[in-house]
Amino acid sequence: MMEYVKAFVVGGVICALVQILLERTKLMPGRVMVMLVVSGAVLGCLGLYQPFADWAGAGAGVPLLGFGNTLWKGVVKGIGEDGVLGIFKGGLTAASAGVAGALVFGYLGALIFKPKMKS
């Protein structure tokens, strides 16, 4: 039970910090999302993200920080398997299941809830 609480708190703190960043700066949401992905990749490169993710569980793996780390791990694996081509191929291969799931469930949500343009 404490694993769920820890994941909820960590994910909530990450989201709260991002919300504060959005409200206190003039950064657009797209730039903040890119900052999160790049931060996850950089933390993964420095070897800091994995211990944090092991401790925090899904609270660290679900936000965009986790996506950046997944891309980084895929690039490292791709370089080991395919050399320079792995730089381009590895991240896409590692993240393909998550991206495909987001597309499918986003489409299903659009079919069910009939979204409309903001006026």
Side-chain angles (χ1 to χ4, degrees), residues 44-114:
C45 174
L46 297 174
L48 300 173
Y49 194 82
Q50 195 58 49
F52 173 64
D54 291 341
W55 177 79
V62 174
L64 286 173
L65 288 169
F67 183 70
N69 187 51
T70 299
L71 290 174
W72 168 254
K73 288 194 289 190
V75 167
V76 170
K77 182 178 176 187
I79 290 172
E81 293 175 356
D82 299 322
V84 176
L85 185 61
I87 294 171
F88 305 104
K89 183 177 151 188
L92 296 174
T93 303
S96 62
V99 171
L103 289 172
V104 168
F105 289 114
Y107 180 71
L108 291 175
L111 289 177
I112 294 169
F113 295 106
K114 308 285 188 230

Side-chain angles (χ1 to χ4, degrees), residues 6-27:
K6 190 183 334 179
F8 179 78
V9 170
V10 170
V13 167
I14 292 170
C15 292
L17 291 173
V18 169
Q19 189 65 41
I20 290 169
L21 184 65
L22 286 169
E23 291 182 11
R24 301 287 173 133
T25 66
K26 293 182 180 183
L27 291 172

